Amino acid sequence: MFNWDEEWNISFAGCGFRSIYYLGSLSCILQQVPQLVHGASKICGASSGCLVAAAVTVGIPIEQFCVDVLTMAKAARKHTLGVFHPTFSLLRIVRHSLLEKLPADAHLRASGKLCVSLTRLADGKNVLVSEFDSREELIQVLTCSCFFPVYCGFIPPSYRGVHYVDGALSNNMPLFEQRNTITFAPFSGESDICPREGTFNFFEVHYGNISIQVNTGNVHRICTSFLPPKPEKLAEICHNGYMDALRFLRERDLLGLQHLPSSSVAETFKTEKTLLNGQNPHKEDHWWLDLKVEENLPVSFKKVLCVACRDDQDGGKFLPVKVVMYLLTLLMLPIELAVLLTKRLLTSTTDLCRQTWCSGGKDSSRAAQQRQVL
């Protein structure tokens, strides 16, 4: 049960182009329990997560942010080398978008509520910034947190005369240590809102206050964080965020009628049932977007994603994603096989020890009874 009487925070981990997962999650929460976002004491983020946090804090509609993510992905996919093409600058696009979208008083709205994670270049220490003297200073902080060395360039931006790099390198989940922080991550692990894997996970990597399970699914997620997939895949990621947030709300018993707007969760489950039964009420509409995505996301998101999928003319020519995914899959297969064999070996050893212990106990009791008879 969520305690509404205590203060709580929201924290978004850095994840590159997969930040669209957060937009799907937020669309669900704002639709079902908007107070969970609006009532948060601090909204935190690192890298691309800080851009989502900033948008929510200063009042930029998340649909607009969704358009920006899709536009950046489309711009990257125009080139054969994608984000590594010499003419493409991800940081320049981010800065231009901030200059265009942030309101004049953005620094006033963000001060005290927005918390941005930075990594100081000089010593690698983490710095959390929550106060901003001007709109330009806010933009500086956000661009510093998004600068991943080499990937975004070689000369890091500065804030108050000090050079900083991606905040995810030192603290990818700001305020994680506080008990009432709701954590978001598009990688399967221990975050409050994150994908759930059905397979057994033997290893977990803990880095920058975030837990990431070692499995093929997360390999793909990390790859597509840096190398943007097609709009259809981004739409699927957005939808997954919506459904994972819905599961979180249900598990925390936050879907009470007092928090619901006009739409109800029952309608969402009705939609899921329709999909499972194979019914397709809008088969002719928006054929370029998966029906499941079209049915669950809010109308505003459906329109944005439909336009992006319709206008996509890549034709599967973006080679870096395919090449990297094939290589990473080949590397992960031996690891997953070793994990599976280790799990079976441990299970078999445990069962054998249990049987031996039980049989040993029975033999001891039987010997004791025989001694008593003698």
Side-chain angles (χ1 to χ4, degrees):
M1 175 70 73
F2 189 82
N3 189 350
W4 293 96
D5 296 328
E6 296 183 6
E7 291 186 351
W8 68 91
N9 309 305
I10 294 176
S11 189
F12 299 98
C15 58
F17 289 98
R18 278 202 165 249
S19 58
I20 200 169
Y21 175 90
Y22 300 145
L23 305 181
S25 301
L26 287 171
S27 70
C28 175
I29 296 175
L30 292 173
Q31 183 185 61
Q32 306 291 350
V33 196
Q35 179 59 22
L36 195 63
V37 174
H38 299 320
S41 298
K42 285 188 180 296
I43 301 179
C44 320
S47 193
S48 62
C50 77
L51 300 179
V52 178
V56 174
T57 303
V58 304
I60 297 176
I62 55 177
E63 295 86 350
Q64 288 188 17
F65 193 95
C66 186
V67 173
D68 290 342
V69 174
L70 293 167
T71 302
M72 284 190 287
K74 183 179 179 181
R77 292 177 60 85
K78 283 182 179 178
H79 308 289
T80 304
L81 297 177
V83 293
F84 300 106
H85 195 276
T87 62
F88 182 82
S89 174
L90 186 61
L91 206 64
R92 183 176 64 243
I93 296 176
V94 169
R95 180 174 176 80
H96 176 76
S97 177
L98 292 173
L99 286 169
E100 181 183 0
K101 298 292 196 313
L102 288 180
D105 62 343
H107 59 292
L108 300 177
R109 302 186 193 185
S111 291
K113 185 158 188 175
L114 175 64
C115 181
V116 181
S117 174
L118 304 176
T119 302
R120 193 162 51 214
L121 182 62
D123 55 9
K125 298 295 184 181
N126 182 252
V127 176
L128 298 180
V129 182
S130 292
E131 298 294 332
F132 313 93
D133 293 338
S134 65
R135 179 174 178 268
E136 175 59 28
E137 190 171 274
L138 172 60
I139 294 175
Q140 290 177 6
V141 172
L142 294 175
T143 52
C144 283
S145 184
C146 293
F147 182 85
F148 196 92
V150 180
Y151 180 77
C152 291
F154 296 92
I155 303 176
S158 62
Y159 158 62
R160 294 184 177 178
V162 179
H163 290 288
Y164 294 90
V165 294
D166 199 317
L169 296 175
S170 57
N171 185 358
N172 201 18
M173 195 72 79
L175 303 188
F176 165 83
E177 66 280 358
Q178 296 193 11
R179 185 172 61 89
N180 291 329
T181 297
I182 302 173
T183 55
F184 289 69
F187 315 109
S188 62
E190 297 179 354
S191 300
D192 294 315
I193 297 179
C194 69
R196 299 280 180 87
E197 294 285 354
T199 57
F200 176 80
N201 294 278
F202 190 75
F203 299 106
E204 280 191 0
V205 176
H206 294 264
Y207 182 79
N209 289 338
I210 184 174
S211 166
I212 301 179
Q213 296 171 343
V214 179
N215 52 53
T216 306
N218 274 342
V219 168
H220 179 268
R221 295 182 185 106
I222 293 174
C223 175
T224 51
S225 295
F226 292 96
L227 303 175
K230 290 176 68 66
E232 291 85 349
K233 182 62 179 179
L234 290 172
E236 180 185 340
I237 295 170
C238 185
H239 168 263
N240 291 341
Y242 182 99
M243 299 308 296
D244 289 339
L246 186 64
R247 182 186 62 237
F248 167 80
L249 296 177
R250 185 170 63 247
E251 291 175 350
R252 293 295 183 92
D253 197 21
L254 291 171
L255 292 175
L257 296 177
Q258 67 272 20
H259 301 300
L260 287 177
S262 56
S263 61
S264 66
V265 183
E267 289 299 321
T268 303
F269 293 138
K270 181 179 179 181
T271 299
E272 291 180 356
K273 185 176 180 180
T274 301
L275 293 171
L276 291 173
N277 290 337
Q279 300 177 20
N280 191 345
H282 304 293
K283 186 174 182 179
E284 300 301 326
D285 296 337
H286 309 309
W287 55 270
W288 50 84
L289 188 62
D290 187 87
L291 174 63
K292 190 175 182 181
V293 174
E294 179 187 345
E295 289 292 327
N296 288 285
L297 288 172
V299 175
S300 56
F301 272 82
K302 285 189 275 187
K303 291 180 179 178
V304 169
L305 295 171
C306 281
V307 170
C309 295
R310 181 192 62 197
D311 296 342
D312 180 50
Q313 301 296 328
D314 291 336
K317 296 180 181 179
F318 190 58
L319 298 179
V321 172
K322 292 184 176 181
V323 172
V324 173
M325 281 307 304
Y326 287 145
L327 292 175
L328 290 177
T329 301
L330 289 175
L331 290 174
M332 282 299 297
L333 281 175
I335 297 176
E336 291 204 339
L337 288 174
V339 169
L340 182 61
L341 291 174
T342 303
K343 178 192 173 184
R344 291 184 176 179
L345 179 62
L346 290 174
T347 302
S348 302
T349 304
T350 303
D351 291 342
L352 181 62
C353 291
R354 186 181 296 110
Q355 292 175 2
T356 303
W357 182 83
C358 292
S359 60
K362 291 180 180 178
D363 292 341
S364 298
S365 60
R366 189 177 296 110
Q369 290 177 357
Q370 292 176 353
R371 283 195 296 271
Q372 290 177 359
V373 171
L374 294 175

